[in-house]
Amino acid sequence: KISAGPPTVQFFCTSLQLGAGMDENPPTRYDVLAAGTIIILQQLFVSDLNGRKARVCDFDDSKGRYIVDVDGRSVAVKRENVLQMIEGVTIIHGRDPGSTATGTVVGLRDGDLGIEFQVRLDDGTTVWASENRLRLPSGTLVTVTGIRGRPEINGKKALVTGWDAEAARYLVQVSPAIIAKLKPINVTITR
């Protein structure tokens, strides 16, 4: 199980970024987690960091790693060692789409039927749910999969920008020019 870490964590990314001479208004990226995103570290060789909360500072394209702040310490980590701590996730209970609860993704594990996400519900309880039972909020980084009509976007990272309840589809921004309406089965939470 992944521990959500201590209840209060101080982060220093903002001062690190601006102090490093970086552009204060960087272009929007649809393929990496945004600076400031809270994540949970997992499956690292440095085991004392596993389960710890961190804040994304930047993404180093040349090394393919996120630069994250863990209690004031800058650490470079691979994509697969990062779990988005997604607030505002909706869990659908059973077959009734009207029976829901909201919470925050705080962990994941390999379950009997695939990956399951640990969600701390707003009432304080914790449950495990498969990805197909989750409704992801805007700003969640996802990977597009299984699209037959537009195979060129398969494998692309994208940002959820909304949910079309009538069509039961996510609106996802794949690039500045491409917004797609995708079924839940065609998006997976990007790590």
Side-chain angles (χ1 to χ4, degrees):
K1 291 186 179 179
I2 295 175
S3 166
T8 57
V9 181
Q10 289 187 323
F11 300 106
F12 300 95
C13 282
T14 306
S15 60
L16 289 175
Q17 281 187 304
L18 299 178
M22 296 175 63
D23 184 357
E24 290 186 37
N25 297 308
T28 300
R29 293 195 56 181
Y30 307 103
D31 60 337
V32 296
L33 295 170
T37 301
I38 303 295
I39 54 100
I40 298 170
L41 298 172
Q42 58 184 10
Q43 300 171 342
L44 293 165
F45 290 117
V46 181
S47 61
D48 69 312
L49 295 178
N50 287 324
R52 300 284 302 276
K53 288 183 186 178
R55 183 181 302 269
V56 172
C57 296
D58 197 7
F59 186 78
D60 183 339
D61 286 298
S62 67
K63 295 181 181 174
R65 293 175 188 252
Y66 285 101
I67 309 304
V68 301
D69 178 323
V70 185
D71 294 330
R73 184 169 112 192
S74 183
V75 179
V77 294
K78 296 176 186 174
R79 286 180 188 259
E80 58 266 23
N81 299 120
V82 168
L83 172 65
Q84 297 175 69
M85 196 167 162
I86 307 166
E87 294 182 358
V89 164
T90 301
I91 296 179
I92 299 167
H93 297 292
R95 297 179 190 262
D96 177 12
S99 176
T100 63
T102 58
T104 301
V105 171
V106 295
L108 90 149
R109 68 180 180 194
D110 287 320
D112 295 336
L113 302 173
I115 294 177
E116 295 179 316
F117 292 88
Q118 184 180 28
V119 180
R120 186 178 52 241
L121 299 177
D122 293 344
D123 68 7
T125 60
T126 302
V127 297
W128 289 94
S130 59
E131 196 165 13
N132 65 345
R133 291 183 44 216
L134 303 179
R135 281 295 164 268
L136 306 173
S138 294
T140 303
L141 185 65
V142 296
T143 302
V144 178
T145 63
I147 303 296
R148 289 187 225 141
R150 296 184 75 183
E152 70 276 7
I153 67 171
N154 285 326
K156 298 276 188 191
K157 308 290 188 257
L159 283 179
V160 172
T161 60
W163 171 255
D164 182 337
E166 211 170 287
R169 305 273 196 281
Y170 286 111
L171 301 171
V172 298
Q173 185 93 39
V174 179
S175 71
I178 301 174
I179 297 176
K181 273 190 179 182
L182 302 176
K183 295 177 186 175
I185 196 166
N186 297 120
V187 301
T188 59
I189 296 172
T190 300
R191 295 193 281 174

